[in-house]
Short mmCIF file of all heavy atoms in Angstrom, two decimals:
data_model
loop_
_atom_site.label_atom_id
_atom_site.label_comp_id
_atom_site.label_asym_id
_atom_site.label_seq_id
_atom_site.Cartn_x
_atom_site.Cartn_y
_atom_site.Cartn_z
N ALA A 1 -30.15 40.74 22.72
CA ALA A 1 -29.93 39.93 21.55
C ALA A 1 -30.06 40.68 20.25
O ALA A 1 -29.28 40.60 19.31
CB ALA A 1 -30.85 38.71 21.56
N PHE A 2 -31.22 41.48 20.16
CA PHE A 2 -31.41 42.33 19.01
C PHE A 2 -30.26 43.26 18.84
O PHE A 2 -29.85 43.41 17.63
CB PHE A 2 -32.80 43.19 19.26
CG PHE A 2 -33.00 44.24 18.13
CD1 PHE A 2 -33.60 43.72 16.95
CD2 PHE A 2 -32.81 45.47 18.41
CE1 PHE A 2 -33.81 44.65 16.07
CE2 PHE A 2 -33.15 46.43 17.54
CZ PHE A 2 -33.54 45.99 16.30
N LEU A 3 -29.87 44.02 19.81
CA LEU A 3 -28.78 45.01 19.69
C LEU A 3 -27.49 44.37 19.35
O LEU A 3 -26.73 44.71 18.44
CB LEU A 3 -28.67 45.80 20.99
CG LEU A 3 -29.87 46.81 21.21
CD1 LEU A 3 -29.65 47.55 22.51
CD2 LEU A 3 -30.02 47.77 19.99
N LEU A 4 -27.16 43.41 20.16
CA LEU A 4 -25.82 42.65 19.83
C LEU A 4 -25.79 42.13 18.29
O LEU A 4 -24.72 42.24 17.67
CB LEU A 4 -25.73 41.39 20.81
CG LEU A 4 -25.29 41.84 22.20
CD1 LEU A 4 -25.20 40.48 23.09
CD2 LEU A 4 -23.83 42.44 22.18
N THR A 5 -26.82 41.56 17.93
CA THR A 5 -26.85 40.93 16.59
C THR A 5 -26.91 41.93 15.58
O THR A 5 -26.23 42.04 14.56
CB THR A 5 -27.93 39.94 16.49
OG1 THR A 5 -27.90 39.00 17.50
CG2 THR A 5 -27.94 39.17 15.02
N GLY A 6 -27.78 42.94 15.74
CA GLY A 6 -28.01 44.10 14.58
C GLY A 6 -26.74 44.81 14.51
O GLY A 6 -26.20 45.11 13.45
N VAL A 7 -26.17 45.18 15.65
CA VAL A 7 -24.91 46.17 15.54
C VAL A 7 -23.78 45.24 15.02
O VAL A 7 -22.99 45.85 14.15
CB VAL A 7 -24.67 46.82 16.95
CG1 VAL A 7 -23.18 47.42 16.98
CG2 VAL A 7 -25.68 47.75 17.26
N GLY A 8 -23.64 44.09 15.48
CA GLY A 8 -22.57 43.34 15.05
C GLY A 8 -22.60 43.08 13.48
O GLY A 8 -21.67 43.09 12.79
N ILE A 9 -23.79 42.78 12.95
CA ILE A 9 -24.04 42.46 11.56
C ILE A 9 -23.79 43.78 10.83
O ILE A 9 -23.15 43.78 9.71
CB ILE A 9 -25.24 41.85 11.29
CG1 ILE A 9 -25.43 40.42 11.79
CG2 ILE A 9 -25.55 41.80 9.82
CD1 ILE A 9 -26.64 39.74 11.66
N LEU A 10 -24.21 44.91 11.18
CA LEU A 10 -24.11 46.21 10.60
C LEU A 10 -22.54 46.44 10.39
O LEU A 10 -22.18 46.89 9.33
CB LEU A 10 -24.71 47.29 11.48
CG LEU A 10 -24.54 48.64 10.82
CD1 LEU A 10 -25.31 48.86 9.50
CD2 LEU A 10 -25.00 49.70 11.75
N LEU A 11 -21.78 46.29 11.42
CA LEU A 11 -20.36 46.47 11.36
C LEU A 11 -19.66 45.52 10.33
O LEU A 11 -18.90 45.94 9.48
CB LEU A 11 -19.74 46.37 12.73
CG LEU A 11 -20.11 47.55 13.77
CD1 LEU A 11 -19.51 47.19 15.02
CD2 LEU A 11 -19.77 48.84 13.20
N CYS A 12 -19.96 44.24 10.58
CA CYS A 12 -19.31 43.17 9.79
C CYS A 12 -19.78 43.26 8.27
O CYS A 12 -19.06 43.03 7.40
CB CYS A 12 -19.48 41.83 10.28
SG CYS A 12 -18.75 41.51 11.82
N TRP A 13 -21.10 43.46 8.10
CA TRP A 13 -21.66 43.63 6.73
C TRP A 13 -20.97 44.65 5.92
O TRP A 13 -20.59 44.51 4.74
CB TRP A 13 -23.05 43.79 6.74
CG TRP A 13 -23.78 43.96 5.32
CD1 TRP A 13 -24.13 44.96 4.69
CD2 TRP A 13 -24.12 42.72 4.55
NE1 TRP A 13 -24.62 44.70 3.50
CE2 TRP A 13 -24.68 43.32 3.37
CE3 TRP A 13 -23.95 41.47 4.62
CZ2 TRP A 13 -25.10 42.57 2.21
CZ3 TRP A 13 -24.31 40.61 3.55
CH2 TRP A 13 -24.87 41.12 2.39
N ASN A 14 -20.71 45.77 6.47
CA ASN A 14 -20.24 46.89 5.80
C ASN A 14 -18.70 46.82 5.70
O ASN A 14 -18.06 47.17 4.63
CB ASN A 14 -20.46 48.24 6.66
CG ASN A 14 -21.87 48.79 6.26
OD1 ASN A 14 -22.09 49.48 5.25
ND2 ASN A 14 -22.68 48.43 7.18
N ALA A 15 -18.02 46.09 6.63
CA ALA A 15 -16.57 45.79 6.56
C ALA A 15 -16.34 44.76 5.33
O ALA A 15 -15.40 44.94 4.54
CB ALA A 15 -16.07 45.24 7.81
N GLY A 16 -17.14 43.76 5.32
CA GLY A 16 -17.16 42.78 4.20
C GLY A 16 -17.41 43.42 2.87
O GLY A 16 -16.86 43.00 1.88
N THR A 17 -18.42 44.27 2.81
CA THR A 17 -18.71 44.92 1.47
C THR A 17 -17.51 45.75 1.00
O THR A 17 -17.19 45.69 -0.18
CB THR A 17 -20.12 45.82 1.68
OG1 THR A 17 -21.08 45.10 2.09
CG2 THR A 17 -20.22 46.79 0.45
N LEU A 18 -16.83 46.48 1.96
CA LEU A 18 -15.77 47.26 1.54
C LEU A 18 -14.60 46.44 1.02
O LEU A 18 -13.98 46.71 -0.09
CB LEU A 18 -15.28 48.09 2.75
CG LEU A 18 -13.95 48.97 2.48
CD1 LEU A 18 -14.21 50.00 1.46
CD2 LEU A 18 -13.53 49.66 3.73
N ALA A 19 -14.41 45.30 1.79
CA ALA A 19 -13.30 44.40 1.40
C ALA A 19 -13.59 43.78 -0.11
O ALA A 19 -12.71 43.78 -0.93
CB ALA A 19 -13.17 43.22 2.38
N GLY A 20 -14.92 43.39 -0.25
CA GLY A 20 -15.20 42.83 -1.57
C GLY A 20 -15.13 43.76 -2.72
O GLY A 20 -14.76 43.52 -3.80
N ALA A 21 -15.59 45.04 -2.41
CA ALA A 21 -15.53 46.18 -3.49
C ALA A 21 -14.24 46.43 -3.82
O ALA A 21 -13.86 46.57 -4.99
CB ALA A 21 -16.46 47.36 -2.90
N LEU A 22 -13.22 46.49 -2.83
CA LEU A 22 -11.83 46.81 -3.17
C LEU A 22 -11.20 45.63 -3.89
O LEU A 22 -10.29 45.97 -4.76
CB LEU A 22 -11.16 47.11 -1.85
CG LEU A 22 -11.50 48.39 -1.07
CD1 LEU A 22 -10.74 48.57 0.20
CD2 LEU A 22 -11.23 49.63 -2.01
N ALA A 23 -11.51 44.45 -3.58
CA ALA A 23 -10.86 43.25 -4.28
C ALA A 23 -11.48 43.31 -5.72
O ALA A 23 -10.66 42.81 -6.56
CB ALA A 23 -11.46 41.97 -3.55
N GLY A 24 -12.63 43.81 -5.97
CA GLY A 24 -13.12 43.92 -7.36
C GLY A 24 -12.99 42.65 -8.14
O GLY A 24 -13.62 41.56 -7.72
N GLY A 25 -12.38 42.73 -9.24
CA GLY A 25 -12.34 41.50 -10.16
C GLY A 25 -11.30 40.43 -9.72
O GLY A 25 -11.16 39.42 -10.44
N ALA A 26 -10.75 40.61 -8.52
CA ALA A 26 -9.73 39.65 -8.13
C ALA A 26 -10.51 38.16 -7.84
O ALA A 26 -9.86 37.19 -7.91
CB ALA A 26 -8.96 40.11 -6.86
N ILE A 27 -11.82 38.38 -7.39
CA ILE A 27 -12.54 37.14 -7.26
C ILE A 27 -13.47 36.97 -8.24
O ILE A 27 -14.55 37.62 -8.48
CB ILE A 27 -13.23 37.26 -5.92
CG1 ILE A 27 -12.22 37.44 -4.66
CG2 ILE A 27 -14.00 35.90 -5.58
CD1 ILE A 27 -12.93 37.65 -3.37
N ALA A 28 -13.14 36.17 -9.24
CA ALA A 28 -14.04 35.99 -10.52
C ALA A 28 -15.42 35.42 -10.23
O ALA A 28 -16.41 36.00 -10.71
CB ALA A 28 -13.21 35.12 -11.40
N ASP A 29 -15.46 34.40 -9.40
CA ASP A 29 -16.86 33.90 -8.91
C ASP A 29 -16.79 33.45 -7.48
O ASP A 29 -16.26 32.54 -7.00
CB ASP A 29 -17.00 32.49 -9.87
CG ASP A 29 -18.19 31.80 -9.57
OD1 ASP A 29 -19.17 32.52 -8.81
OD2 ASP A 29 -18.45 30.70 -10.01
N PRO A 30 -17.54 34.31 -6.73
CA PRO A 30 -17.61 33.98 -5.31
C PRO A 30 -18.11 32.59 -4.91
O PRO A 30 -17.71 31.99 -3.88
CB PRO A 30 -18.64 34.98 -4.82
CG PRO A 30 -18.61 36.11 -5.79
CD PRO A 30 -18.28 35.51 -7.10
N GLY A 31 -18.83 32.06 -5.89
CA GLY A 31 -19.38 30.66 -5.67
C GLY A 31 -18.25 29.59 -5.55
O GLY A 31 -18.44 28.55 -4.96
N THR A 32 -17.17 29.96 -6.28
CA THR A 32 -16.09 28.91 -6.27
C THR A 32 -15.37 28.83 -4.88
O THR A 32 -14.89 27.82 -4.62
CB THR A 32 -15.09 29.25 -7.29
OG1 THR A 32 -14.48 30.46 -7.03
CG2 THR A 32 -15.58 29.27 -8.63
N LEU A 33 -15.61 29.80 -4.11
CA LEU A 33 -14.93 29.86 -2.67
C LEU A 33 -16.06 29.42 -1.67
O LEU A 33 -15.79 29.46 -0.42
CB LEU A 33 -14.52 31.31 -2.38
CG LEU A 33 -13.51 31.86 -3.31
CD1 LEU A 33 -13.10 33.27 -2.89
CD2 LEU A 33 -12.13 30.88 -3.24
N GLY A 34 -17.28 29.11 -2.07
CA GLY A 34 -18.36 28.74 -1.19
C GLY A 34 -18.90 29.86 -0.52
O GLY A 34 -19.74 29.68 0.41
N LEU A 35 -18.71 31.14 -1.09
CA LEU A 35 -19.32 32.37 -0.33
C LEU A 35 -20.83 32.33 -0.36
O LEU A 35 -21.49 32.83 0.45
CB LEU A 35 -18.70 33.61 -0.85
CG LEU A 35 -17.07 33.82 -0.62
CD1 LEU A 35 -16.75 35.16 -1.30
CD2 LEU A 35 -17.00 33.92 0.94
N ASP A 36 -21.28 31.72 -1.49
CA ASP A 36 -22.75 31.74 -1.87
C ASP A 36 -23.44 30.92 -0.92
O ASP A 36 -24.71 30.94 -0.85
CB ASP A 36 -23.08 31.48 -3.34
CG ASP A 36 -22.38 30.06 -3.68
OD1 ASP A 36 -21.45 29.68 -2.96
OD2 ASP A 36 -22.97 29.54 -4.61
N ALA A 37 -22.85 30.01 -0.29
CA ALA A 37 -23.52 28.99 0.66
C ALA A 37 -23.70 29.53 1.96
O ALA A 37 -24.51 29.11 2.79
CB ALA A 37 -22.76 27.66 0.66
N ILE A 38 -23.15 30.67 2.45
CA ILE A 38 -23.13 31.13 3.77
C ILE A 38 -24.49 31.72 4.13
O ILE A 38 -24.88 31.43 5.19
CB ILE A 38 -21.91 32.20 3.93
CG1 ILE A 38 -20.63 31.61 3.85
CG2 ILE A 38 -22.06 32.94 5.22
CD1 ILE A 38 -19.40 32.58 3.98
N PHE A 39 -25.05 32.41 3.16
CA PHE A 39 -26.33 33.10 3.61
C PHE A 39 -27.39 32.03 3.76
O PHE A 39 -28.01 32.17 4.88
CB PHE A 39 -26.69 33.91 2.29
CG PHE A 39 -27.56 35.10 2.62
CD1 PHE A 39 -27.42 35.84 3.65
CD2 PHE A 39 -28.67 35.47 1.75
CE1 PHE A 39 -28.27 36.82 4.01
CE2 PHE A 39 -29.50 36.58 1.98
CZ PHE A 39 -29.25 37.31 3.13
N PRO A 40 -27.75 31.09 2.89
CA PRO A 40 -28.65 30.06 3.41
C PRO A 40 -28.32 29.28 4.59
O PRO A 40 -29.13 28.91 5.32
CB PRO A 40 -28.81 29.12 2.15
CG PRO A 40 -27.56 29.38 1.38
CD PRO A 40 -27.12 30.77 1.67
N ALA A 41 -27.06 29.10 4.77
CA ALA A 41 -26.55 28.31 6.02
C ALA A 41 -26.94 29.27 7.33
O ALA A 41 -27.38 28.62 8.26
CB ALA A 41 -25.01 28.05 6.03
N VAL A 42 -26.79 30.45 7.12
CA VAL A 42 -27.20 31.30 8.42
C VAL A 42 -28.62 31.31 8.65
O VAL A 42 -29.07 31.26 9.79
CB VAL A 42 -26.55 32.71 8.10
CG1 VAL A 42 -27.21 33.59 9.19
CG2 VAL A 42 -24.99 32.84 8.17
N PHE A 43 -29.36 31.27 7.47
CA PHE A 43 -30.83 31.32 7.75
C PHE A 43 -31.24 29.97 8.45
O PHE A 43 -32.19 29.94 9.32
CB PHE A 43 -31.55 31.38 6.39
CG PHE A 43 -31.79 32.70 5.95
CD1 PHE A 43 -31.23 33.40 4.83
CD2 PHE A 43 -32.70 33.60 6.62
CE1 PHE A 43 -31.42 34.71 4.39
CE2 PHE A 43 -32.90 34.91 6.28
CZ PHE A 43 -32.33 35.46 5.17
N LEU A 44 -30.72 28.93 8.04
CA LEU A 44 -31.07 27.57 8.52
C LEU A 44 -30.76 27.53 10.08
O LEU A 44 -31.41 27.05 10.83
CB LEU A 44 -30.45 26.45 7.76
CG LEU A 44 -30.89 26.05 6.52
CD1 LEU A 44 -30.02 25.06 5.74
CD2 LEU A 44 -32.33 25.67 6.56
N ALA A 45 -29.58 28.05 10.39
CA ALA A 45 -29.05 28.20 11.83
C ALA A 45 -30.09 29.03 12.66
O ALA A 45 -30.20 28.70 13.77
CB ALA A 45 -27.65 28.71 11.90
N LEU A 46 -30.63 30.04 12.06
CA LEU A 46 -31.56 30.95 12.80
C LEU A 46 -32.97 30.31 12.81
O LEU A 46 -33.71 30.51 13.87
CB LEU A 46 -31.64 32.26 11.97
CG LEU A 46 -30.40 33.14 12.01
CD1 LEU A 46 -30.65 34.29 11.07
CD2 LEU A 46 -30.16 33.79 13.48
N LEU A 47 -33.14 29.44 11.92
CA LEU A 47 -34.77 28.82 11.87
C LEU A 47 -34.80 27.74 12.95
O LEU A 47 -35.81 27.74 13.74
CB LEU A 47 -34.89 28.23 10.55
CG LEU A 47 -36.15 27.52 10.29
CD1 LEU A 47 -37.32 28.59 10.55
CD2 LEU A 47 -36.34 26.82 8.93
#
């Protein structure tokens, strides 16, 4: 579970970072898309 989750997140986190960085100013406010709610939602699901 440690390896599956850790490696999976490492790959997806870096892919998402690259996509967001390339998008740059195209997304004015990530909160308007609900992206800011994903992080706390994941924490609750893990808790």
Side-chain angles (χ1 to χ4, degrees):
F2 172 78
L3 291 176
L4 285 173
T5 308
V7 172
I9 291 179
L10 178 66
L11 295 175
C12 291
W13 179 259
N14 283 277
T17 296
L18 176 60
L22 292 176
I27 304 177
D29 180 10
T32 61
L33 300 179
L35 296 178
D36 56 337
I38 294 178
F39 206 40
V42 170
F43 272 116
L44 287 175
L46 290 169
L47 177 63

